[in-house]
């Protein structure tokens, strides 16, 4: 909960997540892009932008509705899960970088399962911590999750696939 270690772990999450996203793009599109450093930088920048926009919108909505403590708790839970995900995903990303064939396909499936498990854990922890403060049903919290967590990822996926000329 200290500021500097938390900031460094957030930077670690962004870097390992950007590297992992780069490897996923490389896995699904093949070696079709020419400037690997540019794509790696863009994936890191996009991940940074997504979480910065989410942080700013949550802080603003918490201030707007007078629920700063509730949004701070949610931001803490999201940050904690992101830090864990950054730690979990880095060894898988390194293995993905040096493997091929069936091992690579298995690593991609394991990593996607791990990411889904972390998102599910984040959903459960957030709902259990916030349900008494917000007085919302699980259905409404699920709608929030779909609108602000899943839909932006799907839109980003569609744009990336269209940019690299794949099918979706």
């Amino acid at each position: 909960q200290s500021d500097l270690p938390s900031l460094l772990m957030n930077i670690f999450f962004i870097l390992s997540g950007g590297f992992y996203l780069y490897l996923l793009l490389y896995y699904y599109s093949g070696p079709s892009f020419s400037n690997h450093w540019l794509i790696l930088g863009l994936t890191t920048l996009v991940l940074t932008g997504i979480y910065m926009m989410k942080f700013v919108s949550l802080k603003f909505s918490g201030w707007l509705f007078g629920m700063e403590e509730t949004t701070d708790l949610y931001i803490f839970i999201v940050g904690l899960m992101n830090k864990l995900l950054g730690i979990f995903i880095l060894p898988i990303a390194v293995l993905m970088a040096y493997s091929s064939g069936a091992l690579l396909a298995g690593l991609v499936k394991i990593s996607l399962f791990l990411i889904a498990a972390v998102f599910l854990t984040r959903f459960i922890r957030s709902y259990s911590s916030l349900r008494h403060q917000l007085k919302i049903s699980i259905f409404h919290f699920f709608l929030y999750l779909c609108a602000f967590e899943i839909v932006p990822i799907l839109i980003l996926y569609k744009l990336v696939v269209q940019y690299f000329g794949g099918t979706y």
Side-chain angles (χ1 to χ4, degrees):
Q1 292 182 356
S2 299
D3 291 335
L4 183 61
S6 179
L7 175 67
L8 293 176
M9 286 300 292
N10 286 332
I11 291 171
F12 179 73
F13 163 71
I14 292 295
L15 293 176
S16 63
F19 181 57
Y20 173 74
L21 289 175
Y22 164 77
L23 290 172
L24 271 183
L25 283 175
Y26 190 79
Y27 173 73
Y28 283 114
S29 69
S32 62
F33 39 88
S34 59
N35 194 346
H36 297 282
W37 290 107
L38 177 68
I39 302 298
L40 180 61
L42 284 176
T43 55
T44 305
L45 195 64
V46 164
L47 193 62
T48 304
I50 288 171
Y51 278 99
M52 287 300 294
M53 287 186 334
K54 182 175 182 163
F55 176 77
V56 168
S57 66
L58 281 171
K59 283 297 226 183
F60 177 73
S61 62
W63 169 78
L64 184 66
F65 296 114
M67 297 187 156
E68 290 93 357
E69 294 175 12
T70 305
T71 55
D72 286 342
L73 177 63
Y74 181 72
I75 289 170
F76 175 75
I77 292 170
V78 168
L80 183 65
M81 291 296 145
N82 286 346
K83 291 167 190 158
L84 286 173
L85 187 61
I87 292 169
F88 291 155
I89 209 71
L90 184 64
I92 294 174
V94 170
L95 288 174
M96 283 173 61
Y98 293 108
S99 62
S100 62
L103 179 61
L104 180 60
L107 285 170
V108 168
K109 289 176 185 172
I110 289 170
S111 67
L112 293 176
F113 175 76
L114 179 68
I115 291 170
V118 168
F119 272 96
L120 181 65
T121 303
R122 187 167 92 180
F123 172 72
I124 292 169
R125 294 278 306 178
S126 299
Y127 181 72
S128 64
S129 298
L130 300 176
R131 71 175 172 198
H132 298 295
Q133 295 175 358
L134 294 179
K135 307 283 190 249
I136 59 173
S137 69
I138 194 164
F139 175 72
H140 290 107
F141 195 72
F142 179 73
L143 285 178
Y144 158 77
L145 180 77
C146 290
F148 290 103
E149 300 281 345
I150 297 171
V151 171
I153 292 172
L154 292 176
I155 291 171
L156 183 65
Y157 171 75
K158 181 178 178 180
L159 291 173
V160 166
V161 167
Q162 282 180 342
Y163 179 73
F164 287 110
T167 60
Y168 54 92

